[in-house]
Amino acid sequence: MIRGSRFRSKPSTSRRSSLSLLFALVLPILLSACTWGGNHSPLNPASGPTETVNRLWWIMFWMSIVIEALVAGLVVISLIRFRRKAGDPDPVQISGNTRIEIAWTIAPAMILVVLLVLTLTTMVNISEPKGTTMRVTVTGHRWWWEFDYQGMNIVTGNEMHIPLDEPVHIDLRSADVIHSFWVPALAGKRDAIPGHDNTLWISANKPGTYRGECTEFCGAEHANMNFIVVAQPRAEFDAWVRGQQQPAATGQTGLAAEGAQTILAQACAGCHMINGVKGYNVGKIGPNLTHVGSRQNLAAGTLENTPENLARWIRDPQEVKPEAKMPNLGLDEATIAKLVAYLESLK
Ligand code: CUA
């Protein structure tokens, strides 16, 4: 009887508020697990600079924990030991204590000096090394990233390749609004500002695919403005470079060959370039498609690059990425199938 009535009773206000507090604490942790790739954090460093930053982060973290434990511990001890009991007289009134005041001025100042020195050393350690030879111009567009390898005749979209252990200099540009370039595991974050040239540098000391993203709100599809950085040993990187330097593949057969003809009559050339294809040499609004078939993702990391997804993207870009600059061209299914076969053949 007693148990039944307790079950029927509503939870008390305090229990409800502690439940919502628990929820508020746990929810962000659950949501933060929704990442794309397992190395998307500066606390999972894969380059010299991010390792240095990571070390500083942990030093600051443990220093904060010690200070917090000390302060909170003293507060708790005071609460228990000096709690007022019934009948206690008013405590002795004091005003000022020079020694304590000097101590609590000097101690935090010393802590800040230590942190300043550590921060300055970190800043020196992560500055760009001399002799960075490879330079890439990175341009933020609504809503994708362009990578132009200077003097190498390579332009890619949303996928950057770098050789392992070699610093790469980045000239950062924006084609429209302010974006921000960030590959958490590899480098710091920097804004791409229209009319203002910025630079940064990245490197990787572990091979792998690293996620990067735009971290400055830049409009409707800001959240779908991602890219990847593929760090590979020099020989693999060189092979990639040789492949990317080739003009678009030719000699397709079947559906892809029909697509190669079909695309000449489409409006794609207004925005996209395909090196070596007649009429496709001016479009700079969308990504360069010369080797689109070799890329891992489509639409700036919104979709995995599969024929089905490419068809979905061409069929109605606005359904995948509302407000994207690519309009719905109203193509029929037969044309879409040909274009998909052709574009996927551009490895
Ligand atoms: Cu570009 Cu946010």
Side-chain angles (χ1 to χ4, degrees):
M1 274 299 270
I2 295 165
R3 173 170 292 185
S5 66
R6 195 168 63 188
F7 265 84
R8 268 197 302 274
S9 73
K10 284 182 188 160
S12 66
T13 320
S14 74
R15 190 197 291 175
R16 238 179 303 159
S17 57
S18 50
L19 268 179
S20 33
L21 180 68
L22 186 72
F23 192 63
L25 288 173
V26 169
L27 191 68
I29 296 169
L30 290 177
L31 287 174
S32 70
C34 311
T35 54
W36 184 54
N39 53 20
H40 184 225
S41 163
L43 299 182
N44 213 339
S47 75
T50 44
E51 275 166 8
T52 320
V53 170
N54 179 55
R55 191 163 56 233
L56 179 63
W57 193 93
W58 282 108
I59 292 173
M60 288 186 171
F61 176 80
W62 286 115
M63 278 175 79
S64 314
I65 291 286
V66 169
I67 294 167
E68 171 69 20
L70 198 69
V71 173
L74 288 174
V75 168
V76 171
I77 289 171
S78 309
L79 281 174
I80 296 167
R81 260 192 77 181
F82 303 107
R83 193 183 171 84
R84 187 173 187 186
K85 293 169 200 76
D88 274 0
D90 279 349
V92 186
Q93 301 298 305
I94 52 165
S95 102
N97 182 320
T98 316
R99 266 195 243 162
I100 290 181
E101 280 165 25
I102 290 175
W104 75 40
T105 306
I106 290 180
M110 275 165 47
I111 293 169
L112 290 180
V113 167
V114 169
L115 290 178
L116 177 70
V117 170
L118 289 172
T119 306
L120 290 177
T121 344
T122 306
M123 285 168 74
V124 171
N125 284 345
I126 65 175
S127 61
E128 183 164 346
K130 289 196 175 64
T132 311
T133 48
M134 213 168 84
R135 301 175 76 92
V136 180
T137 302
V138 177
T139 308
H141 297 257
R142 275 180 293 172
W143 286 280
W144 62 283
W145 294 94
E146 181 177 67
F147 300 93
D148 186 343
Y149 289 68
Q150 296 173 26
M152 291 170 75
N153 189 32
I154 297 174
V155 181
T156 70
N158 309 313
E159 184 167 323
M160 183 186 196
H161 288 234
I162 60 171
L164 264 188
D165 296 317
E166 289 182 42
V168 176
H169 175 95
I170 290 177
D171 289 302
L172 199 54
R173 307 280 183 266
S174 167
D176 34 53
V177 298
I178 300 178
H179 303 276
S180 190
F181 179 92
W182 194 30
V183 192
L186 298 184
K189 175 194 294 191
R190 191 133 307 164
D191 280 3
I193 303 167
H196 175 89
D197 298 354
N198 252 346
T199 61
L200 81 156
W201 70 282
I202 67 170
S203 69
N205 55 20
K206 295 184 193 112
T209 301
Y210 302 95
R211 180 186 168 179
E213 61 189 47
C214 180
T215 55
E216 178 75 42
F217 182 71
C218 54
E221 290 301 330
H222 157 71
N224 288 322
M225 187 169 166
N226 304 306
F227 59 98
I228 54 171
V229 175
V230 181
Q232 45 200 174
R234 187 74 213 192
E236 257 177 55
F237 174 76
D238 287 341
W240 178 82
V241 165
R242 282 192 296 276
Q244 297 287 310
Q245 285 173 332
Q246 302 301 313
T250 52
Q252 287 85 351
T253 53
L255 209 54
E258 290 181 46
Q261 288 306 309
T262 308
I263 203 163
L264 299 176
Q266 302 301 330
C268 317
C271 297
H272 297 282
M273 287 176 58
I274 307 177
N275 303 355
V277 173
K278 210 171 81 202
Y280 277 77
N281 53 1
V282 287
K284 285 204 146 206
I285 294 166
N288 184 308
L289 300 179
T290 310
H291 299 282
V292 65
S294 74
R295 295 185 196 143
Q296 296 182 27
N297 298 295
L298 298 169
T302 312
L303 299 171
E304 196 190 336
N305 188 1
T306 64
E308 297 72 34
N309 284 338
L310 182 54
R312 183 180 155 202
W313 176 234
I314 294 176
R315 188 178 296 121
D316 187 2
Q318 300 299 314
E319 174 260 325
V320 177
K321 224 172 145 171
E323 291 195 35
K325 302 294 168 205
M326 186 152 135
N328 183 348
L329 294 171
L331 302 171
D332 59 73
E333 287 302 316
T335 308
I336 292 171
K338 288 176 197 168
L339 291 177
V340 167
Y342 172 63
L343 291 169
E344 290 291 3
S345 78
L346 300 181
K347 296 290 183 192

PDB file of all heavy atoms in Angstrom, residues 141 143 145 178-180 214-219 222 225, ligand 1:
ATOM      1  N   HIS A 141      34.510  29.520 -49.724  1.00  0.00           N
ATOM      2  CA  HIS A 141      33.358  29.959 -50.503  1.00  0.00           C
ATOM      3  C   HIS A 141      32.114  29.555 -49.735  1.00  0.00           C
ATOM      4  O   HIS A 141      32.155  28.594 -48.960  1.00  0.00           O
ATOM      5  CB  HIS A 141      33.285  29.224 -51.852  1.00  0.00           C
ATOM      6  CG  HIS A 141      34.431  29.470 -52.783  1.00  0.00           C
ATOM      7  ND1 HIS A 141      34.348  30.300 -53.861  1.00  0.00           N
ATOM      8  CD2 HIS A 141      35.690  28.968 -52.802  1.00  0.00           C
ATOM      9  CE1 HIS A 141      35.505  30.302 -54.526  1.00  0.00           C
ATOM     10  NE2 HIS A 141      36.342  29.495 -53.897  1.00  0.00           N
ATOM     11  N   TRP A 143      29.350  27.262 -49.985  1.00  0.00           N
ATOM     12  CA  TRP A 143      29.808  26.719 -48.742  1.00  0.00           C
ATOM     13  C   TRP A 143      30.707  25.543 -49.048  1.00  0.00           C
ATOM     14  O   TRP A 143      30.299  24.402 -48.989  1.00  0.00           O
ATOM     15  CB  TRP A 143      28.594  26.300 -47.886  1.00  0.00           C
ATOM     16  CG  TRP A 143      27.901  27.514 -47.316  1.00  0.00           C
ATOM     17  CD1 TRP A 143      28.279  28.233 -46.223  1.00  0.00           C
ATOM     18  CD2 TRP A 143      26.724  28.167 -47.794  1.00  0.00           C
ATOM     19  NE1 TRP A 143      27.415  29.305 -46.002  1.00  0.00           N
ATOM     20  CE2 TRP A 143      26.460  29.279 -46.958  1.00  0.00           C
ATOM     21  CE3 TRP A 143      25.876  27.948 -48.894  1.00  0.00           C
ATOM     22  CZ2 TRP A 143      25.391  30.140 -47.154  1.00  0.00           C
ATOM     23  CZ3 TRP A 143      24.819  28.806 -49.080  1.00  0.00           C
ATOM     24  CH2 TRP A 143      24.585  29.894 -48.204  1.00  0.00           C
ATOM     25  N   TRP A 145      35.318  24.605 -49.749  1.00  0.00           N
ATOM     26  CA  TRP A 145      36.710  25.073 -49.679  1.00  0.00           C
ATOM     27  C   TRP A 145      37.451  24.721 -50.961  1.00  0.00           C
ATOM     28  O   TRP A 145      37.346  23.603 -51.467  1.00  0.00           O
ATOM     29  CB  TRP A 145      37.427  24.405 -48.507  1.00  0.00           C
ATOM     30  CG  TRP A 145      36.897  24.796 -47.173  1.00  0.00           C
ATOM     31  CD1 TRP A 145      35.943  24.113 -46.449  1.00  0.00           C
ATOM     32  CD2 TRP A 145      37.239  25.939 -46.392  1.00  0.00           C
ATOM     33  NE1 TRP A 145      35.695  24.776 -45.269  1.00  0.00           N
ATOM     34  CE2 TRP A 145      36.481  25.903 -45.202  1.00  0.00           C
ATOM     35  CE3 TRP A 145      38.127  26.997 -46.572  1.00  0.00           C
ATOM     36  CZ2 TRP A 145      36.577  26.873 -44.208  1.00  0.00           C
ATOM     37  CZ3 TRP A 145      38.225  27.955 -45.584  1.00  0.00           C
ATOM     38  CH2 TRP A 145      37.453  27.892 -44.420  1.00  0.00           C
ATOM     39  N   ILE A 178      33.065  36.125 -44.196  1.00  0.00           N
ATOM     40  CA  ILE A 178      34.119  35.615 -43.312  1.00  0.00           C
ATOM     41  C   ILE A 178      33.867  34.138 -43.001  1.00  0.00           C
ATOM     42  O   ILE A 178      32.782  33.748 -42.571  1.00  0.00           O
ATOM     43  CB  ILE A 178      34.179  36.418 -41.996  1.00  0.00           C
ATOM     44  CG1 ILE A 178      34.464  37.894 -42.280  1.00  0.00           C
ATOM     45  CG2 ILE A 178      35.260  35.853 -41.075  1.00  0.00           C
ATOM     46  CD1 ILE A 178      34.485  38.762 -41.026  1.00  0.00           C
ATOM     47  N   HIS A 179      34.861  33.322 -43.282  1.00  0.00           N
ATOM     48  CA  HIS A 179      34.840  31.916 -42.899  1.00  0.00           C
ATOM     49  C   HIS A 179      36.003  31.698 -41.934  1.00  0.00           C
ATOM     50  O   HIS A 179      36.823  32.593 -41.735  1.00  0.00           O
ATOM     51  CB  HIS A 179      35.028  31.014 -44.117  1.00  0.00           C
ATOM     52  CG  HIS A 179      34.018  31.222 -45.205  1.00  0.00           C
ATOM     53  ND1 HIS A 179      32.786  30.622 -45.204  1.00  0.00           N
ATOM     54  CD2 HIS A 179      34.057  32.000 -46.321  1.00  0.00           C
ATOM     55  CE1 HIS A 179      32.114  30.996 -46.284  1.00  0.00           C
ATOM     56  NE2 HIS A 179      32.855  31.832 -46.978  1.00  0.00           N
ATOM     57  N   SER A 180      36.087  30.506 -41.376  1.00  0.00           N
ATOM     58  CA  SER A 180      37.232  30.219 -40.527  1.00  0.00           C
ATOM     59  C   SER A 180      37.705  28.793 -40.766  1.00  0.00           C
ATOM     60  O   SER A 180      36.912  27.852 -40.780  1.00  0.00           O
ATOM     61  CB  SER A 180      36.871  30.432 -39.056  1.00  0.00           C
ATOM     62  OG  SER A 180      38.039  30.368 -38.278  1.00  0.00           O
ATOM     63  N   CYS A 214      34.566  24.752 -41.278  1.00  0.00           N
ATOM     64  CA  CYS A 214      34.426  26.195 -41.130  1.00  0.00           C
ATOM     65  C   CYS A 214      33.924  26.448 -39.713  1.00  0.00           C
ATOM     66  O   CYS A 214      32.973  25.822 -39.269  1.00  0.00           O
ATOM     67  CB  CYS A 214      33.443  26.738 -42.152  1.00  0.00           C
ATOM     68  SG  CYS A 214      33.240  28.524 -42.017  1.00  0.00           S
ATOM     69  N   THR A 215      34.588  27.361 -39.002  1.00  0.00           N
ATOM     70  CA  THR A 215      34.165  27.607 -37.622  1.00  0.00           C
ATOM     71  C   THR A 215      33.740  29.052 -37.407  1.00  0.00           C
ATOM     72  O   THR A 215      33.821  29.564 -36.303  1.00  0.00           O
ATOM     73  CB  THR A 215      35.289  27.265 -36.626  1.00  0.00           C
ATOM     74  OG1 THR A 215      36.447  27.991 -37.001  1.00  0.00           O
ATOM     75  CG2 THR A 215      35.591  25.792 -36.622  1.00  0.00           C
ATOM     76  N   GLU A 216      33.332  29.712 -38.493  1.00  0.00           N
ATOM     77  CA  GLU A 216      32.782  31.060 -38.340  1.00  0.00           C
ATOM     78  C   GLU A 216      31.438  31.032 -39.053  1.00  0.00           C
ATOM     79  O   GLU A 216      31.380  30.686 -40.230  1.00  0.00           O
ATOM     80  CB  GLU A 216      33.722  32.083 -39.005  1.00  0.00           C
ATOM     81  CG  GLU A 216      33.235  33.508 -38.965  1.00  0.00           C
ATOM     82  CD  GLU A 216      33.389  34.136 -37.589  1.00  0.00           C
ATOM     83  OE1 GLU A 216      34.434  33.925 -36.952  1.00  0.00           O
ATOM     84  OE2 GLU A 216      32.457  34.835 -37.150  1.00  0.00           O
ATOM     85  N   PHE A 217      30.382  31.403 -38.342  1.00  0.00           N
ATOM     86  CA  PHE A 217      29.051  31.311 -38.964  1.00  0.00           C
ATOM     87  C   PHE A 217      29.003  32.145 -40.238  1.00  0.00           C
ATOM     88  O   PHE A 217      29.294  33.336 -40.218  1.00  0.00           O
ATOM     89  CB  PHE A 217      27.959  31.766 -37.997  1.00  0.00           C
ATOM     90  CG  PHE A 217      26.597  31.631 -38.617  1.00  0.00           C
ATOM     91  CD1 PHE A 217      26.049  30.384 -38.831  1.00  0.00           C
ATOM     92  CD2 PHE A 217      25.901  32.754 -39.040  1.00  0.00           C
ATOM     93  CE1 PHE A 217      24.812  30.246 -39.449  1.00  0.00           C
ATOM     94  CE2 PHE A 217      24.659  32.625 -39.647  1.00  0.00           C
ATOM     95  CZ  PHE A 217      24.114  31.371 -39.852  1.00  0.00           C
ATOM     96  N   CYS A 218      28.657  31.482 -41.360  1.00  0.00           N
ATOM     97  CA  CYS A 218      28.756  32.158 -42.656  1.00  0.00           C
ATOM     98  C   CYS A 218      27.496  31.987 -43.484  1.00  0.00           C
ATOM     99  O   CYS A 218      27.503  32.167 -44.684  1.00  0.00           O
ATOM    100  CB  CYS A 218      29.971  31.613 -43.405  1.00  0.00           C
ATOM    101  SG  CYS A 218      29.963  29.824 -43.547  1.00  0.00           S
ATOM    102  N   GLY A 219      26.397  31.630 -42.831  1.00  0.00           N
ATOM    103  CA  GLY A 219      25.146  31.517 -43.568  1.00  0.00           C
ATOM    104  C   GLY A 219      24.507  30.154 -43.394  1.00  0.00           C
ATOM    105  O   GLY A 219      24.941  29.335 -42.588  1.00  0.00           O
ATOM    106  N   HIS A 222      26.575  26.853 -43.212  1.00  0.00           N
ATOM    107  CA  HIS A 222      27.833  26.911 -42.451  1.00  0.00           C
ATOM    108  C   HIS A 222      28.214  25.536 -41.882  1.00  0.00           C
ATOM    109  O   HIS A 222      29.375  25.127 -41.928  1.00  0.00           O
ATOM    110  CB  HIS A 222      27.681  27.945 -41.333  1.00  0.00           C
ATOM    111  CG  HIS A 222      28.602  27.759 -40.180  1.00  0.00           C
ATOM    112  ND1 HIS A 222      29.944  28.006 -40.268  1.00  0.00           N
ATOM    113  CD2 HIS A 222      28.372  27.331 -38.911  1.00  0.00           C
ATOM    114  CE1 HIS A 222      30.503  27.754 -39.096  1.00  0.00           C
ATOM    115  NE2 HIS A 222      29.577  27.332 -38.260  1.00  0.00           N
ATOM    116  N   MET A 225      30.071  22.916 -44.289  1.00  0.00           N
ATOM    117  CA  MET A 225      31.228  23.472 -44.990  1.00  0.00           C
ATOM    118  C   MET A 225      32.468  22.791 -44.429  1.00  0.00           C
ATOM    119  O   MET A 225      33.300  23.387 -43.780  1.00  0.00           O
ATOM    120  CB  MET A 225      31.270  24.985 -44.781  1.00  0.00           C
ATOM    121  CG  MET A 225      32.338  25.664 -45.602  1.00  0.00           C
ATOM    122  SD  MET A 225      32.165  27.444 -45.601  1.00  0.00           S
ATOM    123  CE  MET A 225      33.766  27.896 -46.265  1.00  0.00           C
TER     124      MET A 225
HETATM  125 CU1  CUA B   1      32.055  29.140 -43.884  1.00  0.00          CU
HETATM  126 CU2  CUA B   1      31.019  28.954 -41.804  1.00  0.00          CU
END
